[in-house]
Amino acid sequence: MFFVDTIELEGLGNRSYLAGGEQAAVVVDPPRDIDRVLAAAARRGVRISHVVETHLHNDYVTGGQELARITGARYLVPAGARVSYARVPVADGDTVDIDTGLALAAVATPGHTPHHTAYVMSDGGRPAAVFTGGSLLIGTVGRPDLVEPRLTERLARAQHASVHRLADALPDDTSVLPTHGFGSFCSSAQADGDTTTIAKEKAGNAALLTDVDTFVADLLDGLDDVPAYYAHMGPINAAGPAPVDLTAPEPADPQEIAERLAAGEWVVDLRNRVAFAEGHVAGSFNFELEGKLATYLAWTIPWGKPVTLLAESAGQLAAAQRELVRVGIDRPVAAATGGPQRWVPDGQRPVSFPRSTFAGLAAQHPDEVVVLDVRRDSERAKGWIEGSTHIPVHQLHRRTGDVPEGTVWVHCAAGTRAAIAASLLHAAGRDVIAMDDGFEAAAEAGLTITTG
């Protein structure tokens, strides 16, 4: 008998896996903070004999090399991946033994990347699970446009062939265990559900139900924005990431916080958006810990910009550090805990801005307000408030000058990104109102929604 333990990376929308038998196990696509993996193996009482990558990741920094070094495991990386460190290159058909009766076979599945490789785990010679990385996902597939624009269509066609290869070769009851698809921007669409099998995918995955030309056209037409930090993940993973350092940052007093702001550095407040709006350090930005912190901060911040973190507690600060190392933001230059009264110099007070809803917006005279929509292009295409300005939140820090004059009512789909955008604009000296409301309430409030 074998086991599979899932290690969730909820903020990034990914999963890693620990799978094995009584004595030994393999780790698939490990996160950079490998202590979670080591703890999972300790709970199982197994030795990590192999660490495998399905591909060079574009959305997070791997912990594979460090995990293999610490455990003495063999580090299996697709042979076609160009890396600058020692590893065991694997090609289509290569097989390794994991534990008694358990074997892992590499299956070339190009599409998400040219070198993408899935791994089939067999128990007693029969396929039981397939680790599909960014190939066959739950109800969808991994996107093919993250490597090089010239390769996108070719990789989309390869993706179609790869998922058909898996579906044709594996028994219907084989568990499909993808890395992406749970909110990751590496997925071409949001995964529908939590678990799946080959049979379920045959019945519901468009890649397995449509011809290649239709599939490619639909896939390319539906691709969403690519987070800016993705450009840095591949090179980091190819070079071999440094071990993580999760020790607490140097504490910052109010004077240092003020000096770092004056120097143009980023001071990031991790508290929830309600608390931030009610009072915060002037010039600081609000990226909620619970609101996809790693994705949106890494997407928005100029790469390499020093960042100071402000948190309610040491625990909140530690959780944020863990999220950020996964996307290459390794060491905050400083940090402070407590609240805004403790973060401002003597003689100064925290600042604030109001919050509202779409009903509140509807009560305003339309000629007297500026409505800023910070959703992505794909979201806005489904409907927008008539007369609103559109700047996606990840572009706003470079385009604050494009926001019309006046008090800015900022909205997104639910509230988190509106809070980020409001903090960016407020730090730039604008009068803002953050709308903390679901977009479906806009029409209900009587606002005119435009489509097409």
Side-chain angles (χ1 to χ4, degrees), residues 248-249 270 289 309-322 332 334-337:
L270 301 167
L289 176 61
L309 298 179
L310 305 180
E312 289 178 321
S313 65
Q316 189 179 59
L317 175 60
Q321 282 185 259
R322 183 176 291 274
T337 58

Side-chain angles (χ1 to χ4, degrees), residues 164-390:
H164 276 267
R165 181 186 184 192
L166 291 174
D168 293 343
L170 296 173
D172 281 353
D173 61 351
T174 305
S175 295
V176 176
L177 303 171
T179 299
H180 302 313
F182 310 96
S184 168
F185 281 87
C186 274
S187 174
S188 63
Q190 179 66 38
D192 183 17
D194 191 58
T195 61
T196 193
T197 62
I198 289 293
K200 290 180 181 178
E201 293 310 304
K202 284 181 177 179
N205 194 310
L208 296 172
L209 296 172
T210 56
D211 64 88
V212 63
D213 291 333
T214 301
F215 166 78
V216 169
D218 291 345
L219 178 63
L220 299 187
D221 184 58
L223 292 174
D224 212 333
D225 297 342
V226 178
Y229 72 92
Y230 277 25
H232 304 281
M233 300 296 96
I236 291 174
N237 287 326
V244 295
D245 180 0
L246 293 175
T247 57
E250 290 296 318
D253 60 21
Q255 186 61 37
E256 181 178 353
I257 293 171
E259 290 172 354
R260 290 190 177 280
L261 283 167
E265 297 181 9
W266 278 38
V267 174
V268 173
D269 191 325
L270 301 167
R271 296 174 300 145
N272 72 69
R273 56 186 181 266
V274 176
F276 181 87
E278 291 176 347
H280 56 271
V281 177
S284 63
F285 303 140
N286 182 213
F287 288 81
E288 295 178 291
L289 176 61
E290 295 81 10
K292 281 188 171 289
L293 166 68
T295 294
Y296 284 109
L297 180 55
W299 197 342
T300 306
I301 191 171
W303 192 254
K305 176 77 73 171
V307 60
T308 295
L309 298 179
L310 305 180
E312 289 178 321
S313 65
Q316 189 179 59
L317 175 60
Q321 282 185 259
R322 183 176 291 274
E323 289 273 340
L324 294 178
V325 296
R326 295 171 183 163
V327 292
I329 301 178
D330 281 13
R331 291 294 298 162
V333 292
T337 58
Q341 297 289 352
R342 296 176 56 180
W343 301 333
V344 296
D346 291 340
Q348 297 185 22
R349 300 180 63 183
V351 296
S352 63
F353 55 75
R355 298 163 54 246
S356 190
T357 62
F358 286 105
L361 173 62
Q364 307 299 307
H365 191 284
D367 295 333
E368 297 177 355
V369 298
V370 175
V371 180
L372 178 63
D373 180 350
V374 297
R375 296 174 300 161
R376 298 187 301 277
D377 292 346
S378 60
E379 295 172 286
R380 183 169 171 92
K382 298 174 183 177
W384 64 89
I385 297 172
E386 185 177 61
S388 62
T389 297
H390 179 227

Side-chain angles (χ1 to χ4, degrees), residues 56-58 60-61 82-85 146 229-241 303:
L56 286 185
H57 303 285
N58 291 293
Y60 71 92
V61 180
R82 298 184 179 276
V83 299
S84 57
Y85 48 80
L146 302 179
Y229 72 92
Y230 277 25
H232 304 281
M233 300 296 96
I236 291 174
N237 287 326
W303 192 254

Side-chain angles (χ1 to χ4, degrees), residues 383-416:
W384 64 89
I385 297 172
E386 185 177 61
S388 62
T389 297
H390 179 227
I391 303 176
V393 68
H394 55 272
Q395 298 177 10
L396 184 59
H397 72 289
R398 302 189 305 271
R399 298 180 55 190
T400 54
D402 294 342
V403 181
E405 293 298 319
T407 298
V408 186
W409 290 65
V410 190
H411 82 84
C412 59
T416 296

Side-chain angles (χ1 to χ4, degrees), residues 66-91:
E66 181 67 4
L67 181 61
R69 185 188 69 80
I70 287 177
T71 61
R74 299 180 70 199
Y75 188 29
L76 278 56
V77 178
R82 298 184 179 276
V83 299
S84 57
Y85 48 80
R87 88 288 194 204
V88 179
V90 293

